[in-house]
Amino acid sequence: MSAPSDAMVEIRSVHKSFGSLEVLRGIDLSVRPGEVTVILGPSGSGKSTLLRTINHLEKVDQGWISVDGTLVGYRRDGDKLYELREREVLRQRTKIGFVFQNFNLFPHLTVLENIIEAPVSALRRPRKEAVATAEKLLERVGLADRAAAYPGQLSGGQQQRVAIARALALEPRLLLFDEPTSALDPELVGEVLDVIKDLAHGGTTMIVVTHEIGFAREVADTVVFMDEGRIVEQGPPADLLDRPAQERTRAFLSKVL
Amino acid sequence: MPPQTVSLPPPSSRPLVKGDADAVPRIVPVRRTGRWTAAAVVLVLLALALNSVIRNDAFQWDVVLSYFGTVPVLRGLWLTLWLTAVVVVLGFVLGALLAVMRLSGNPVLQAVSWGYVWLFRSTPILVQLLFWFNIGALYPQILGVSTVSLLGPVTIAVIGLTLHEAAYAAEVVRGGILSVERGQVEAAQSLGLGPWRRFRRIVLPQAMRSIVPPAGNMLIGTLKGTSIVSIIAVQDLLYSVQLVYHRTYQVIPLLLVATLWYAAVTTLLSIGQRYVERYYARGTAGAR
């Protein structure tokens, strides 16, 4: 099953149900290194669940996912997939950055402590080195002066930029964004998208679930449209957004554009 | 200001504002007669009660004073204090373990934790203590040593109170852990933090905000609750004053000695709780 060597993320016939509700009904998707993939779709289409299966926050019921040539959450032996122990899953996750809709910063830790927590405890980096990296990252997201603040003292946009810096601190091979601007006041969306665009231009592989069509058009290499647990169509933004092949995609875009 | 010449007919042709209409009028609050009366009545009743306490010789305040700092009383106080400390610490350690068991994915551990809490919460502590005190009847020997000589009254008190405390502490800790948003754990998982690190560094500090107030309640409750060990002849604060008044028959003043000590320590603990709460609120409430 070795994944094609040029794929950073390989998703093959992934199924996932919550109880009797089947939220993913056979997903196939590949993402090449350095590519930005934007997933669009109505709520309940399974796009967030798909994103969460990629770093094993949700287990798949069927199919498999590989990141950078390694199966996520499982080890293959013959025709069986053996579930990995938590320790091994955690090690895999350090290579995959995840940015949540609600930031999920640790409210009792300062901005700096939020960022160095994982490098120090999961990667066993020396604290000094982690702090130096964190300061560089904060500068990159334009928050160099807020290192000592608590998340509650920051605006939503600033919190999301800290959350991005926190994900970057592990130097992940892949970044996953789950509706990173959906919880923000409209005037704060731009500052977060700017940071993500900056990362995209820097060549980071990323998968972004979003409702920001403008962002998709500007940054995405591939746009994927999902509905009812399936990928309806995918392609370059110019094709999918302006000349969608499927009626379902057209109907969705006509509502959000 | 010229006189009012507006055509609207005010009933008495008075201006709307008396006096100099140009000056900004001063606001006079409504007179709260009822409030003042109620306060006066309560104050008078309070003064009467206080007077009766001070002027009633049967309280024997001189006796209270003379026993307040004596060695037997202080010794009893000391036992009450360390017994409380040991019971609360051990109770919460065991309670945290029970809470984690209950929230684990293992159905056997869940059931055992649930059963423990059920058992120790559904029987009176007095009965539990008497039961442990007579445990020698069930198990005359433990590892070849006679139970009675192995487990003195103080050990029995520690065991009995701790097991009872743990059942309540388990629920307090469980409630605290459940109050932490699911996203916090997911964020920690996505950053590759291991289970112990997640619990100690991310979940527990946030859970403490919901744990501290009921835990403070329990600490104060336990301080007073330890007085129950006087029935198995452990010389705590209450039993120490009882020993004195069985000899001197000065029941009321000696009970007052114990009462005042309990109240004093409880007050200190309440003040301490405020500071602990403030510590765990860092980064959140009022920090903006």
Side-chain angles (χ1 to χ4, degrees):
Chain A
M1 72 111 246
S2 66
S5 56
D6 64 333
M8 172 62 79
V9 182
E10 194 72 27
I11 300 174
R12 280 293 161 262
S13 57
V14 160
H15 290 254
K16 170 76 185 173
S17 300
F18 293 118
S20 61
L21 181 71
E22 196 176 15
V23 281
L24 298 179
R25 309 174 179 214
I27 301 283
D28 290 277
L29 183 68
S30 342
V31 175
R32 279 191 295 277
E35 254 192 13
V36 177
T37 302
V38 169
I39 304 179
L40 300 176
S43 32
S45 59
K47 51 196 195 308
S48 286
T49 306
L50 176 64
L51 202 68
R52 290 160 61 85
T53 58
I54 297 174
N55 77 342
H56 210 55
L57 276 178
E58 306 287 357
K59 286 181 199 169
V60 302
D61 298 335
Q62 226 187 89
W64 52 264
I65 296 171
S66 80
V67 171
D68 207 9
T70 313
L71 276 178
V72 175
Y74 298 91
R75 179 175 52 80
R76 185 177 171 130
D77 193 357
D79 58 351
K80 290 202 180 74
L81 292 177
Y82 292 95
E83 202 177 332
L84 292 179
R85 303 198 164 278
E86 188 179 4
R87 193 152 34 92
E88 297 160 306
V89 174
L90 289 170
R91 200 178 314 131
Q92 293 186 331
R93 287 206 185 107
T94 62
K95 299 191 177 88
I96 307 170
F98 199 101
V99 176
F100 295 85
Q101 179 176 354
N102 296 312
F103 332 134
N104 289 344
L105 292 177
F106 306 130
H108 59 299
L109 302 180
T110 64
V111 165
L112 189 76
E113 288 168 337
N114 261 281
I115 298 174
I116 66 172
E117 175 64 27
V120 169
S121 86
L123 299 185
R124 312 229 162 272
R125 295 266 163 78
R127 203 187 141 86
K128 231 182 219 168
E129 192 187 309
V131 169
T133 311
E135 282 166 348
K136 256 181 243 147
L137 288 169
L138 278 175
E139 204 161 313
R140 189 158 164 199
V141 299
L143 292 168
D145 54 334
R146 304 313 305 269
Y150 284 99
Q153 296 166 315
L154 304 179
S155 74
Q158 291 174 327
Q159 288 190 51
Q160 193 59 299
R161 281 144 67 195
V162 172
I164 292 170
R166 181 174 72 173
L168 289 173
L170 291 168
E171 293 161 23
R173 307 293 316 270
L174 168 70
L175 272 177
L176 306 174
F177 292 86
D178 187 8
E179 304 199 22
T181 58
S182 296
L184 298 177
D185 290 337
E187 80 267 26
L188 301 177
V189 168
E191 63 186 65
V192 171
L193 290 183
D194 285 345
V195 169
I196 302 176
K197 280 177 205 164
D198 184 49
L199 290 170
H201 296 318
T204 314
T205 313
M206 50 176 85
I207 303 177
V208 187
V209 168
T210 185
H211 295 295
E212 299 288 335
I213 306 287
F215 172 83
R217 191 186 299 279
E218 190 180 340
V219 181
D221 297 297
T222 305
V223 179
V224 174
F225 175 68
M226 278 182 73
D227 190 29
E228 294 182 339
R230 292 197 179 85
I231 291 177
V232 176
E233 63 179 306
Q234 54 177 304
D239 291 351
L240 190 133
L241 296 176
D242 300 326
R243 294 180 295 279
Q246 302 293 324
E247 182 50 42
R248 186 67 195 88
T249 315
R250 257 196 296 278
F252 174 77
L253 289 173
S254 71
K255 271 181 213 145
V256 295
L257 279 177
Chain B
M1 177 91 196
Q4 288 274 349
T5 52
V6 196
S7 58
L8 270 176
S12 59
S13 80
R14 275 185 302 156
L16 285 173
V17 177
K18 269 195 279 184
D20 184 359
D22 270 344
V24 177
R26 196 164 58 88
I27 292 171
V28 181
V30 72
R31 223 166 269 172
R32 303 185 183 276
T33 330
R35 192 180 278 190
W36 283 103
T37 321
V41 170
V42 169
L43 282 177
V44 167
L45 289 177
L46 211 61
L48 287 175
L50 209 62
N51 183 49
S52 84
V53 170
I54 295 167
R55 301 275 295 271
N56 185 341
D57 289 339
F59 278 98
Q60 295 180 280
W61 289 107
D62 51 328
V63 179
V64 173
L65 218 63
S66 68
Y67 277 104
F68 196 70
T70 54
V71 174
V73 170
L74 291 182
R75 233 182 238 150
L77 175 67
W78 172 238
L79 188 135
T80 291
L81 289 178
W82 75 249
L83 183 61
T84 304
V86 168
V87 165
V88 168
V89 169
L90 291 182
F92 266 88
V93 168
L94 184 55
L97 186 71
L98 286 164
V100 170
M101 282 167 65
R102 181 78 185 275
L103 295 171
S104 77
N106 186 328
V108 175
L109 296 189
Q110 281 175 24
V112 168
S113 170
W114 182 89
Y116 180 98
V117 172
W118 168 79
L119 182 67
F120 284 90
R121 274 204 318 192
S122 44
T123 49
I125 176 66
L126 178 58
V127 176
Q128 289 177 29
L129 217 50
L130 290 173
F131 179 85
W132 292 116
F133 193 63
N134 293 293
I135 192 77
L138 288 176
Y139 301 98
Q141 291 199 328
I142 296 173
L143 302 171
V145 190
S146 115
T147 305
V148 179
S149 66
L150 193 67
L151 303 177
V154 175
T155 317
I156 295 286
V158 169
I159 293 172
L161 291 176
T162 298
L163 294 181
H164 180 258
E165 183 94 352
Y168 286 87
E171 289 298 278
V172 168
V173 173
R174 188 168 72 95
I177 292 175
L178 288 177
S179 77
V180 178
E181 251 185 274
R182 174 103 196 96
Q184 291 291 309
V185 177
E186 287 185 347
Q189 284 177 328
S190 76
L191 289 168
L193 304 187
W196 173 242
R197 181 82 180 177
R198 290 201 297 268
F199 181 70
R200 209 186 53 71
R201 178 77 167 157
I202 306 301
V203 175
L204 196 58
Q206 296 185 63
M208 286 305 279
R209 286 184 56 220
S210 328
I211 290 176
V212 169
N217 231 356
M218 276 184 63
L219 173 59
I220 286 168
T222 305
L223 175 81
K224 296 178 297 177
T226 53
S227 61
I228 203 166
V229 301
S230 57
I231 60 135
I232 56 170
V234 172
Q235 291 194 27
D236 73 324
L237 179 55
L238 177 62
Y239 196 69
S240 301
V241 302
Q242 285 176 327
L243 284 180
V244 177
Y245 71 60
H246 286 319
R247 205 158 25 81
T248 66
Y249 300 105
Q250 294 161 314
V251 176
I252 291 293
L254 277 148
L255 282 180
L256 281 172
V257 168
T259 307
L260 290 176
W261 271 119
Y262 280 122
V265 177
T266 306
T267 309
L268 284 179
L269 290 177
S270 307
I271 294 169
Q273 184 182 339
R274 283 238 307 272
Y275 286 96
V276 176
E277 278 177 26
R278 197 177 299 169
Y279 173 78
Y280 281 110
R282 73 192 188 282
T284 48
R288 196 166 279 267

